[in-house]
Amino acid sequence: MVAETPAGARHNRFAKAEDFHVPLTARLMNNRNFLAIWFMLPAAAILLLFLAWPLILGIYLSMTDTTIGRRGYFIGLENFELLADDPVFWLSVYNTFLYTLVASILKFVLGLWLALIINEHLPFKAFLRAIVLLPWIVPTVLSAIAFWWIYDAQFSVISWSLQRMGLIDEYINFLGDPDNARASVIAANTWRGIPFVAITLLAGLQTIPQSLYEAATIDGANSWQRFRFVTFPMLTPIIAVVMTFSVLFTFTDFQLIYVLTRGGPLNATHLMATLGFQRAIPGGQLGEGAAIAVAMIPFLLAAILFSYFGLQRRRWQQGGKD
């Protein structure tokens, strides 16, 4: 006797057989994986055109002696060897690390403090948040021009105020002294970056369940202990991502430095980005400028790895779930 084939099985067999008669285009349009790749192609093409290609071209130029108006020849690592013996380049590396480290720490501390304040139940909270965003919204060039006026050797409002209060006898040379210039550009960058850190951390603070604070209060935790054992651990993944972007923006800063000091005085505020531009465009040495830009890549990758490990901590907090 032949066992009867269930109706459902016969239907599935016939359905699979009919699939061969469906046009390939129709089957692909019903495939979610194919549609996902198809919809991502425009974005991928834009990224390849405006990000990957300039990166590849920059790496190639860093290994040539190309100048403006003359096609160069491949010289291998000669540009990097020249930079290794260039004191101005190493000064720019020092300035970049000092600028990034100090400004990032200040932005994190002040941004976290500001986020904690505006997270409280304050009157006109929405208005305060809008005001906090102003330094971030204003174009960088306009901010730099405003700071250039504030730091002006003859018309500085800071020096004028301090002199009227009897704290100083003569105007401070903010941008003419190397140490003062470094401190001045760090202060300007910190002022611009605080809103980004504050608003992002504020969003993270509002996702922390209030039940955790209530449980900690019942256990007798004071305000500092609640911050240390509840707020900070829950904010750690967000802090990792926010500070990664902050470090990237600060490390590659160009507009603020170029408008305020153009790397002076005595190269005291030259960052790797501004020095690379100066060597490549005004100086005409495209290969050398590209080599300085390529030398920034390992440091940027290190910042991205910092964010990656922060996200790994987020997975650990969620029990290993993606």
Side-chain angles (χ1 to χ4, degrees):
M1 296 180 63
V2 179
E4 295 184 359
T5 304
R10 290 199 304 271
H11 175 74
N12 291 336
R13 187 177 71 245
F14 294 146
K16 292 179 181 179
E18 291 174 358
D19 286 344
F20 292 101
H21 301 287
V22 177
L24 177 62
T25 305
R27 276 188 286 167
L28 290 177
M29 289 298 105
N30 290 325
N31 188 301
R32 296 180 61 182
N33 294 331
F34 174 79
L35 288 177
I37 296 175
W38 179 255
F39 289 135
M40 287 175 61
L41 280 178
I46 293 174
L47 290 175
L48 288 174
L49 179 62
F50 293 104
L51 293 180
W53 169 243
L55 176 62
I56 295 172
L57 180 60
I59 295 174
Y60 168 75
L61 287 175
S62 69
M63 299 183 181
T64 67
D65 60 352
T66 304
T67 60
I68 293 180
R70 181 181 69 83
R71 186 174 182 178
Y73 299 94
F74 184 80
I75 58 175
L77 301 178
E78 185 174 327
N79 284 325
F80 297 96
E81 294 173 356
L82 293 175
L83 291 178
D85 297 325
D86 186 352
V88 177
F89 168 73
W90 288 112
L91 179 60
S92 74
V93 173
Y94 168 77
N95 292 335
T96 303
F97 275 91
L98 178 67
Y99 182 77
T100 303
L101 180 64
V102 177
S104 297
I105 292 175
L106 290 175
K107 284 186 282 188
F108 169 68
V109 173
L110 297 175
L112 179 59
W113 172 71
L114 188 58
L116 291 172
I117 290 177
I118 59 180
N119 190 45
E120 300 295 330
H121 298 288
L122 300 174
F124 308 107
K125 184 187 294 187
F127 179 70
L128 291 175
R129 292 176 182 176
I131 292 178
V132 167
L133 278 175
L134 282 178
W136 179 257
I137 296 173
V138 175
T140 306
V141 174
L142 292 181
S143 299
I145 293 175
F147 274 102
W148 179 80
W149 172 73
I150 291 172
Y151 293 146
D152 187 81
Q154 295 181 348
F155 305 104
S156 170
V157 65
I158 297 177
S159 295
W160 181 85
S161 301
L162 293 176
Q163 193 177 53
R164 291 298 181 275
M165 289 187 291
L167 299 177
I168 59 175
D169 296 327
E170 57 183 12
Y171 275 28
I172 301 173
N173 189 7
F174 285 103
L175 302 180
D177 178 78
D179 293 331
N180 289 344
R182 289 191 182 102
S184 299
V185 295
I186 289 174
N189 181 271
T190 301
W191 180 83
R192 276 195 51 80
I194 287 176
F196 171 74
V197 177
I199 294 299
T200 309
L201 294 182
L202 175 63
L205 287 172
Q206 295 181 341
T207 63
I208 300 176
Q210 290 298 317
S211 58
L212 296 178
Y213 292 109
E214 295 171 0
T217 303
I218 293 173
D219 290 338
N222 55 34
S223 58
W224 165 248
Q225 290 171 330
R226 288 195 298 271
F227 171 79
R228 179 183 176 185
F229 297 108
V230 178
T231 304
F232 191 78
M234 295 298 293
L235 278 181
T236 300
I238 299 175
I239 291 172
V241 176
V242 170
M243 292 312 298
T244 298
F245 281 103
S246 178
V247 168
L248 291 177
F249 295 152
T250 309
F251 194 89
T252 58
D253 194 10
F254 172 81
Q255 298 179 66
L256 191 65
I257 300 295
Y258 196 75
V259 174
L260 275 177
T261 64
R262 297 190 179 237
L266 302 175
N267 300 312
T269 59
H270 251 318
L271 306 184
M272 296 175 73
T274 57
L275 181 64
F277 172 81
Q278 186 189 63
R279 296 281 176 87
I281 306 303
Q285 301 295 324
L286 292 178
E288 188 175 348
I292 296 174
V294 170
M296 300 170 62
I297 294 177
F299 307 114
L300 299 178
L301 290 177
I304 294 173
L305 289 177
F306 176 78
S307 175
Y308 171 78
F309 288 117
L311 293 175
Q312 289 298 310
R313 181 178 176 84
R314 176 65 175 272
R315 292 181 60 190
W316 172 80
Q317 288 180 346
Q318 295 177 348
K321 296 181 181 180
D322 293 331

